[in-house]
Structures are given as C-alpha cells and as structure tokens.
Amino acid sequence: MESLNTLRELRQTWRSAGHTVAFVPTMGNLHDGHLDLVKQAKNLADKVVVSIFVNPMQFGANEDLDAYPRTLDADRSKLEAQGVDALFFPAVDDVYPRGLSEQTFVEVPGISDLLCGASRPGHFRGVATIVCKLFNMVQPDVACFGEKDFQQLQVIRTMVEDLSMPINIVGVPTRRQEDGLAMSSRNGYLSAEQRATATRIYAAMEQMREAICASQDSYADIERKASQSLMSAGLKPEYVTIRNARNLQPAEPGDPQLVILMAAFMGTTRLIDNMQITLDQA
C-alpha cells in the first residue's frame, strides 16, 4: 500500500481487535538479513508491517541515492512468502510534501556526530527523521533493526528513549555469508574480485577480537594493526575503532561491553561492519 490513510485504517482495525504490531523499516532490495528481521518481528507481535522507502534525507550530495537498487516487485514476493501482513511503500512527495529543505527534522546529538556521522554530515538526522515519521505512521509496539548498522541502532534507541516513544527497539544479529561477509544491499556493487577482498573486513575483526580477549596489545595498537591489514589487502579504511558498546565513546580499560566498528571502501563502495565483545570481568 502507498496510502497513509489506508495504513491508518488498517492499524485502527488491528488496534480495535487487540492485536500487537511489529515494524521493520527498510530501503528495499531485500536480502536474507532483512528477512531475519521479518522473522523476528513475527515472533514478537500479532501483525507485521514492513516499509520500503529509499530516504533521500539520509543521502549526501555525492552518494548513491539515484543508483540505489529499487526492486519492489521482487521485494513484495519475498515478503508475501514470509507472511507479512502489510507492505507500506510511500512516495517521496507524500513523505516530504514540502520538500527536504522545509521538512521538520529530528536530530540526536552527540552519537550522531561520531564515526559514520563524521564522514556523512546530516546522515543520522535523515535516519532519525524518517524513522520518527514512520513510527508515527505505523504506530508499532515493537520495531526490529539489524545490528550490522550498529551506530544507527544506537541512534534510534536514544531517540526513542529521549522522546518517550512507547516502542520496544529490538536489534537482530547480522546475517553473514559463509565467508563472513556481512549481507548488505551494497554488496551488489562489488565485482567478483572486490567481493573476495571484502571478506578481509570480517577476518580483521576476528583478529582484533582475539587480541582484545588475550590482552595482547593496547587498543590503539590493535586498531593500527587491523587498519594496516585492510590497506595491505586493497581496502581503504575510513575508521577502525574499538568503542564502548553503550555510548560509542572510545573504549577504556575495564569497559565490559565493547564493539569493534569498521568502515572501509572497496573501490567506490563503502562497507561497514561491527563485532560485539563481552569481556569477562571476573
């Protein structure tokens, strides 16, 4: 459905029947990682809504908005096979009727300015704004997001908490290929040779995890060695960092919950990944 009015009528019918609703927002071009979100959503609520919307507000001037793959018919078939109750795919003019320059926006301070936010100014403003709008449209009880976009997940959790939204945010583990590469819609941009090289991202994170757990080196040395490993493989790292998983600040000795975060270019394609680590405090 494209119409917000139709969605709201359906939502009201479900509410009257006492049904709970889970929501999975996507930008389409769905892969098995997205379907994992749908499967989790089905476990958490009576009804599942999936949205497909390629959000122009979260793309920078020189990013891949126009080239981003749009595969609505194939996506619809996959979602029907999963038993999704409603697919919502609004038009840009309906979501932003006054245009992007006149749109009220939502911004989550601090966490939005780090890492991906530093290299993509305004990106997380666009993410927070569209997720907030979609939450108001769908009015879900629970919403599922992939942990692959770890910073995005933390931005959304912070927004929901700060704005007192009655929505449970659930992170779903990253789905990987057999060789460790995280599933991503942008993997389709890679040549076969680039695709093989991109697996070094996961390999580097595994090496970092082993070094962290063994307390072999300082975090700075571990980050430096991993960055050099990516460069030697032909990747161009944007950041390689070990952070406190709760607030994404640089990790300190004694932090029990860590996350390794990476962004790197393979050719012109920007890839991100992460790995969470819980250290034994005994």
Side-chain angles (χ1 to χ4, degrees), residues 73-84:
D73 289 342
D75 294 341
R76 191 199 313 268
S77 295
K78 292 177 181 178
L79 295 173
E80 288 175 350
Q82 294 294 323
V84 166

Side-chain angles (χ1 to χ4, degrees), residues 20-40:
T20 56
V21 175
F23 178 43
V24 180
T26 81
M27 294 207 300
N29 193 29
L30 304 181
H31 51 68
D32 286 347
H34 294 110
L35 300 185
D36 282 349
L37 303 182
V38 173
K39 291 172 185 175
Q40 179 67 283

Side-chain angles (χ1 to χ4, degrees), residues 99-110:
L100 296 183
S101 63
E102 298 297 320
Q103 170 64 41
T104 299
F105 61 83
V106 178
E107 192 161 39
V108 182

Side-chain angles (χ1 to χ4, degrees), residues 168-187:
N168 180 27
I169 303 300
V170 175
V172 178
T174 302
R175 172 68 81 97
R176 299 185 180 277
Q177 304 285 357
E178 290 184 2
D179 56 14
L181 182 65
M183 289 188 178
S184 169
S185 297
R186 289 188 169 94
N187 290 349

Side-chain angles (χ1 to χ4, degrees), residues 150-178:
F150 191 84
Q151 185 176 6
Q152 172 181 279
L153 176 59
Q154 299 305 85
V155 167
I156 292 165
R157 282 175 167 156
T158 302
M159 177 189 75
V160 165
E161 181 179 357
D162 286 354
L163 298 183
S164 304
M165 295 181 177
I167 303 169
N168 180 27
I169 303 300
V170 175
V172 178
T174 302
R175 172 68 81 97
R176 299 185 180 277
Q177 304 285 357
E178 290 184 2

Side-chain angles (χ1 to χ4, degrees), residues 154-253:
Q154 299 305 85
V155 167
I156 292 165
R157 282 175 167 156
T158 302
M159 177 189 75
V160 165
E161 181 179 357
D162 286 354
L163 298 183
S164 304
M165 295 181 177
I167 303 169
N168 180 27
I169 303 300
V170 175
V172 178
T174 302
R175 172 68 81 97
R176 299 185 180 277
Q177 304 285 357
E178 290 184 2
D179 56 14
L181 182 65
M183 289 188 178
S184 169
S185 297
R186 289 188 169 94
N187 290 349
Y189 298 156
L190 302 174
S191 68
E193 182 179 357
Q194 290 174 329
R195 164 69 180 71
T197 302
T199 62
R200 292 297 298 270
I201 294 174
Y202 181 72
M205 291 194 303
E206 280 282 12
Q207 292 169 353
M208 292 179 73
R209 180 187 61 78
E210 292 174 2
I212 291 169
C213 292
S215 301
Q216 293 176 351
D217 296 300
S218 69
Y219 289 165
D221 284 341
I222 294 170
E223 293 167 348
R224 177 179 52 78
K225 290 177 181 178
S227 184
Q228 290 174 344
S229 174
L230 294 180
M231 287 188 288
S232 67
L235 289 143
K236 182 180 178 182
E238 181 179 289
Y239 61 77
V240 175
T241 185
I242 303 166
R243 298 288 172 125
N244 181 305
R246 183 182 59 83
N247 56 25
L248 298 191
Q249 292 300 310
E252 300 281 351

